[in-house]
Every structure is written in structure tokens, then in C-alpha cells.
Amino acid sequence: MNNVDMSDWGLPSRTNYPYDAPSAIELIQAVEECITEEVLPGSAGATKWKLRIAANALKIAVREIERGNSHRDALETIFNDLEVIDEPDLSRKIKEGDYDDRFEMLQEKLLSIVAMKLEVANPSYFKSVQNP
Amino acid sequence: MSNDTVFGADWLELRLEEILGITEVSKLIRLSGGANRETWSFEASTKEKCQSLIMQIDRDGMDRLNGTCERESRILQIAKLNGVPVPTVVTSGFSGAPGSRSFSITEKMQGETIARKILRDTQWQKAREGLIHDMAKALAAIHKIDKRRFVGIELSDIRDPLLSLTSIYEALNDPHPTFDFAFRWLRANQPEISESTFVHGDFRLGNLLIDSSGLNAVLDWEIAQFGDPIQDLGWMCVRAWRFGNDQRVAGIGSYHELIDSYGQESGRNVSTTTLLWWEIFGTLRWGIICLQMGGDFRKGRTNSLEIAAIGRRVAENEYDLLQAIREVIK
């Protein structure tokens, strides 16, 4: 035993006490990679289509877990700027015309919120604005 | 899923015997595509010939969609009589089983419906060249059908499209500030609605059968209704229906090509502003449909992963709405 080099046996510190590793996000990532790299290449037709949707759904879940905290903080700041407490409150005030004199400002703030959602749901969707 | 007793081969043979005579059904295969219904293809052989047919069935357990296949078959027959390219209906009806679902059986026409293939594969190159004109011509034919032909078919007549969309959105009770913003802009900038015609309601690639020479058939009439005809033009300009391409109209052509072709065929002079309003309306409409379909999963009405994933496409439409409105207000 003494002859074995154990210098690289140390494990990365766990991020999810008291649970063991892999963490939730790591498990989801592992399943996603298994689908994409091992199962998908050998599938066809409707099964292939469903597996693509499944892998993509898992990628969304991973991004949501990764970004969730920072997005919630950013959302809080936007709500403060708009003097609302949450999305339903913002919806109500838009309907009541509270921002009609600040339409462009509202547009920019909404775009910041939607950008966070899209970053999680489908980051490849962003693009530069085109002309008709 | 269908089982062997209802919508299976034996059941089909019994159904078709009345219409085609003694029939043997084979090669019953479920096709992919269509979130709201099941689509099956099969072959029906009689003494004289063997026909390829398509069966569509309402999605199971969805009250909102009950009867849509049967209703659609009646619409198809009217469209056919009025010069719109559509498949011939063989029969339609209800399963008759507990939890009865409606179905329709039509001829299987040749061609491709998968938008990404139509937009990218070289074999559809020639079809793509004339497609904007083909689509404009089919739309003009649809919009020209005398509304009285549809007596007995329940079709909504949407005189205030924003109000009708608002009522769906409000009923979902899931506030999305960007949708409220878009409603407000659309209301403030609404073009005058000049007429109400028969409209397809979901006219876009994916619902159109394309063969090597162009448009072969218009499919999926489940949300046909009466309303402003320009909505059908705006709908196919929605970014979702460009399937990743840049060209504004169906991922193939420009506003001007569509406006010119449709003008020639229908005699209607559509302004860019009006078309853009309907494109933005269509984007909001698709966003709300995504919310509603994702809601079917959230409410446990379906366990389809495809439907669940559509719920996450809401954000794409919010993004497009904000981009489009920013373009206009700048």
C-alpha cells in the first residue's frame, strides 16, 4: 500500500452538504451529456426528436440553477426602479397606463427582464435587430 | 395513444368498409408532428386499388380541442369546392367510445411539411422560388370564400382581435408584463379593421404541404375562423415561423414580395404598417399560445415533454415583441 501514489486521490469539496456528490446540477448535466453523446447518435425518427427535446429541457434546467440567484437580484433592482413589488404588480400598472409617459424606459426595463429569461430558456435566440 | 380497439386497423377496416367496400388496412404508422392531435398514415387496399390515407385524431383528454378533427373535415370540403388546394376527405366522425374523440381520414398527398427541410434542402429550391406567390394565391382563395358556405359550422367571428386575445390571456391568470406592454402598444396603434372574411388562422410552413413545384396543399385548419384577412399574412411573418431563417415572410421572402403577390391575387392593397401590426399581433398571439400550451402541462392535462418545453418558448416571443416595438417607437 505504501508504494501507491495517493497524492491525487483528494476529491473536490462538496457544494451541497449534507448530500453527497454529484450535486443536483451535476446529475442533470450528466444525464444531459449521456442523452446527447451516447443515446442520441443511435436513435432515429420520433425517438430522436423526443431525446433532443429532453436534452434541451435539461440544459434549460441547468442554466436556471446556475443563473437563478444573480437574476433574482437583478430583477429586484428593476422592480425597485419601476416602483413595483413583483411581476403581477408590474402587469397591473402597465395595464393602468402608469408608464405611458415613460414608454421607452419601460421597454428597456422589460427587455432586461426578458433577456434574463431568454438567457436561460434559449440563449441562441438573441440577435441584432433587423429591418423589415 | 390509440389502442387496437379504437382507431386501430380492425376499427379502420370496419369504418372504411361502408365507404370503400371491403378494405384491408396495413402499414398503420404514427407520424411525428402536431402537438394538438395524433396523425397516422396507413394503406387501405380494396379489390380495385390500394390508397395511402392519413388519419387525424383529437389529442386525448383535451376538452378544448374536442371535435376539431371532425369540424376540420367539413371545412376542408368547403375549401376544396372553392379552389383552395387541400386533401380530399374520405370520412370523418367520432370514435363512439367513452371519452369520444373526433377523427378525420383524408387522402395522403405527396410532399414535405417539415419547415426546416423545405427551407434548407436543395431539392426544394424550385418550390421555394415560387412559394411566396403560391402562398399569397392560396390565401387570396381562402379569403374569397363566401362566409355563407360555412352555415352549420361553429366558427368564431373575431371583430376585435385584441379583445379576444386579451380574454384568453386574462383567463390564464399568469401575468406577463411584456404581454401587457404589447397589448397596450397594439391597442394604441391598431389599424382600422375593414372587413371580416374566412381566415385559416394558422397559415405557415409546417402546415403547408410542399412538392417539388411548390405549394401542394394547405393543412391544419383547426383554428380557422372569421376575421381580418391580413392576420393570415402577418402570422406567417412571425419569427417562430421563419424557422431560423432571416427572411421576414416564412423565412423565404420579403414584405414587398408578399404584399405584391397578395395584392395581385386578392385585389387588396396592404400597407407595410398594417402587415407589421399583424406580425406583432401574431407574435403576441403565439406567445400566449405557448403560455397556454405550457399551462396544459402545468395543469396536468398532458404529460407531453414537447408541450412542457413549449412553455419555455414564451420568452422568445416576449423578446421579439420588445424588439419589434422598439424598432417602431424609435
Side-chain angles (χ1 to χ4, degrees):
Chain A
M1 205 55 188
N2 283 345
N3 296 332
V4 179
D5 176 10
M6 292 185 272
S7 60
D8 67 345
W9 284 25
L11 299 172
S13 46
R14 276 183 283 149
T15 55
N16 60 335
Y17 293 111
Y19 312 113
D20 277 302
S23 66
I25 192 169
E26 286 161 350
L27 285 171
I28 300 170
Q29 266 164 335
V31 177
E32 187 272 308
E33 281 170 23
C34 173
I35 293 174
T36 307
E37 287 160 28
E38 294 175 40
V39 189
L40 252 176
S43 66
T47 307
K48 186 169 196 162
W49 173 243
K50 280 188 184 176
L51 286 171
R52 274 216 191 99
I53 297 173
N56 194 44
L58 295 179
K59 282 186 188 158
I60 295 173
V62 168
R63 289 191 294 262
E64 179 169 317
I65 297 168
E66 283 174 344
R67 318 278 160 86
N69 287 331
S70 73
H71 281 172
R72 266 187 295 278
D73 291 345
L75 190 62
E76 210 49 49
T77 309
I78 294 169
F79 285 164
N80 287 336
D81 292 347
L82 290 168
E83 295 166 337
V84 295
I85 50 168
D86 56 16
E87 290 210 18
D89 190 28
L90 178 54
S91 269
R92 187 179 53 79
K93 289 193 167 143
I94 293 170
K95 273 188 269 197
E96 287 169 0
D98 281 20
Y99 305 99
D100 282 2
D101 55 345
R102 292 170 287 167
F103 215 62
E104 280 188 51
M105 182 278 291
L106 174 64
Q107 195 274 346
E108 293 300 333
K109 298 286 180 195
L110 290 172
L111 192 57
S112 306
I113 298 174
V114 169
M116 292 190 266
K117 297 174 67 173
L118 201 54
E119 222 177 89
V120 166
N122 184 2
S124 66
Y125 200 80
F126 289 102
K127 66 168 191 183
S128 54
V129 180
Q130 59 172 22
N131 296 312
Chain B
M1 284 295 279
S2 294
N3 55 46
D4 287 339
T5 49
V6 184
F7 303 121
D10 291 347
W11 180 89
L12 274 170
E13 284 172 1
L14 212 64
R15 272 277 169 180
L16 291 170
E17 193 178 324
E18 298 161 24
I19 304 140
L20 307 174
I22 303 286
T23 306
E24 196 191 316
V25 166
S26 61
K27 298 188 185 165
L28 182 60
I29 301 164
R30 182 162 182 188
L31 305 177
S32 58
N36 285 336
R37 51 179 61 176
E38 290 175 24
T39 305
W40 297 74
S41 87
F42 63 96
E43 292 194 349
S45 314
T46 59
K47 262 184 206 152
E48 293 77 30
K49 59 175 178 177
C50 175
Q51 304 180 63
S52 295
L53 300 177
I54 291 283
M55 171 171 63
Q56 293 202 302
I57 316 167
D58 299 342
R59 176 145 64 92
D60 206 3
M62 287 290 300
D63 289 347
R64 195 173 75 234
L65 303 167
N66 270 0
T68 52
C69 289
E70 194 274 338
R71 193 183 75 131
E72 175 176 296
S73 73
R74 289 189 281 154
I75 292 170
L76 281 177
Q77 293 173 58
I78 295 162
K80 181 128 207 151
L81 286 171
N82 286 275
V84 182
V86 289
T88 305
V89 176
V90 176
T91 183
S92 67
F94 288 82
S95 65
S100 186
R101 294 150 75 191
S102 84
F103 70 94
S104 68
I105 295 170
T106 61
E107 66 170 320
K108 181 180 188 177
M109 296 177 73
Q110 291 307 308
E112 182 59 69
T113 58
I114 299 173
R116 288 179 189 275
K117 291 189 184 175
I118 295 162
L119 289 174
R120 270 148 231 186
D121 293 357
T122 45
Q123 85 178 101
W124 309 111
Q125 170 72 36
K126 188 171 171 291
R128 281 195 296 269
E129 284 166 16
L131 206 49
I132 296 291
H133 184 256
D134 289 355
M135 292 193 288
K137 188 176 172 186
L139 280 176
I142 292 166
H143 298 157
K144 208 171 77 180
I145 304 175
D146 187 338
K147 288 167 80 173
R148 288 169 299 187
R149 299 276 172 266
F150 299 95
V151 168
I153 302 179
E154 200 187 311
L155 292 173
S156 346
D157 195 346
I158 310 290
R159 297 302 176 127
D160 187 342
L162 275 176
L163 187 64
S164 130
L165 195 59
T166 305
S167 69
I168 297 170
Y169 169 60
E170 295 293 342
L172 296 172
N173 195 27
D174 184 3
H176 280 63
T178 296
F179 288 169
D180 295 294
F181 171 84
F183 271 119
R184 204 147 180 89
W185 183 86
L186 284 164
R187 184 58 86 187
N189 293 279
Q190 188 167 14
E192 196 183 326
I193 291 183
S194 50
E195 57 181 330
S196 162
T197 68
F198 178 62
V199 295
H200 180 279
D202 198 7
F203 193 95
R204 59 173 176 87
L205 288 187
N207 290 338
L208 303 172
L209 189 71
I210 309 299
D211 70 8
S212 53
S213 59
L215 178 62
N216 200 19
V218 182
L219 311 173
D220 289 284
W221 296 75
E222 65 191 65
I223 39 182
Q225 52 189 267
F226 299 127
D228 189 314
I230 312 311
Q231 68 184 278
D232 275 340
L233 279 68
W235 183 242
M236 63 173 166
C237 299
V238 171
R239 186 168 162 201
W241 313 134
R242 300 178 208 155
F243 296 92
N245 271 20
D246 286 333
Q247 287 91 331
R248 193 92 181 224
V249 183
I252 294 174
S254 67
Y255 262 27
H256 285 299
E257 285 171 79
L258 177 62
I259 287 171
D260 287 353
S261 287
Y262 183 74
Q264 279 166 31
E265 295 292 337
S266 71
R268 289 188 183 87
N269 191 4
V270 183
S271 77
T272 311
T273 315
T274 302
L275 184 55
L276 177 61
W277 189 90
W278 280 108
E279 179 190 316
I280 296 174
F281 176 87
T283 306
L284 178 58
R285 177 171 168 234
W286 174 235
I288 289 169
I289 294 172
C290 289
L291 186 64
Q292 186 176 30
M293 289 174 78
D296 287 338
F297 178 83
R298 289 160 63 186
K299 296 270 275 187
R301 284 188 285 256
T302 174
N303 60 3
S304 158
L305 179 61
E306 187 185 354
I307 305 275
I310 287 175
R312 284 292 180 125
R313 297 196 60 187
V314 169
E316 297 174 7
N317 297 284
E318 291 179 314
Y319 177 76
D320 289 339
L321 285 168
L322 291 168
Q323 295 284 21
I325 293 170
R326 176 157 74 179
E327 282 282 278
V328 183
I329 59 181
K330 268 194 175 160

